[in-house]
Amino acid sequence: MRIMEPVLPREMETAIPLEEALAMAAAYEEPVYGYAFAGGSAAGHQLEKTEYKACIFTNCRFTGAALSGAWFQNAVFENCEFDTKDAFWHGRHIRIRDSVVKGEYLAWYCENVTFENCTIIGTQPLCYCKGLTLIDCEMVDCDLAFERS
């Protein structure tokens, strides 16, 4: 059996803003588990060394956030914007919908990641992936994509 999409609770909401939750998680290097984030910006935040499990991100901005080393599992991103390097490396069971994803080395070594109605921009995206699915996506200025995927 293959799970096509993470199964997540839809009614959970964070009691604190995205910016504050991400800063606390990074400072304490604690996993972020089971949150639904609606809106907010992670610009300038260092999200490295933090695990994000069973989270939903809607209308969130990750422009300028340091995602290298952040680990996402069973996560959903809807209508989000990314302009960063190394997003979704080693991620597992992630769905990205209706989003703009810009940056180098997108989703290398990921497993069971789906991009749906997304614009993907940047060099060397989606290499060394297992179970990668693209649905109605546009790839702009992407070179050297899909190596060993």
Side-chain angles (χ1 to χ4, degrees):
M1 180 171 82
R2 181 174 172 204
I3 297 174
M4 296 301 294
E5 172 175 352
V7 180
L8 303 172
R10 283 302 216 167
E11 63 279 352
M12 294 178 69
E13 293 291 332
T14 179
I16 57 177
L18 173 67
E19 297 85 346
E20 187 176 333
L22 296 178
M24 280 189 349
Y28 295 106
E29 294 186 15
E30 291 290 325
V32 177
Y33 182 81
Y35 281 94
F37 297 101
S41 172
H45 286 278
Q46 304 294 317
L47 307 182
E48 300 145 328
K49 298 180 184 177
T50 305
E51 297 178 25
Y52 301 87
K53 295 181 178 181
C55 291
I56 300 170
F57 298 86
T58 305
N59 298 317
C60 295
R61 306 295 167 250
F62 295 89
T63 300
L67 291 177
S68 180
W71 189 57
F72 295 95
Q73 181 177 351
N74 295 327
V76 174
F77 296 85
E78 296 177 342
N79 196 33
C80 292
E81 290 180 15
F82 297 85
D83 188 352
T84 185
K85 188 175 180 179
D86 303 335
F88 308 120
W89 267 49
H90 298 282
R92 297 181 64 203
H93 310 292
I94 302 170
R95 182 170 286 264
I96 302 100
R97 291 187 188 114
D98 303 314
S99 297
V100 176
V101 186
K102 181 180 180 183
E104 299 176 339
Y105 318 119
L106 169 65
W108 278 31
Y109 306 103
C110 66
E111 184 177 326
N112 297 326
V113 174
T114 299
F115 290 87
E116 184 176 350
N117 298 319
C118 291
T119 300
I120 299 169
I121 306 165
T123 188
Q124 297 182 336
L126 310 171
C127 296
Y128 310 101
C129 300
K130 294 179 182 176
L132 174 66
T133 304
L134 300 175
I135 302 169
D136 296 327
C137 292
E138 178 183 12
M139 296 186 72
V140 178
D141 296 327
C142 294
D143 62 340
L144 306 171
F146 307 114
E147 182 176 333
R148 295 191 180 177
S149 289

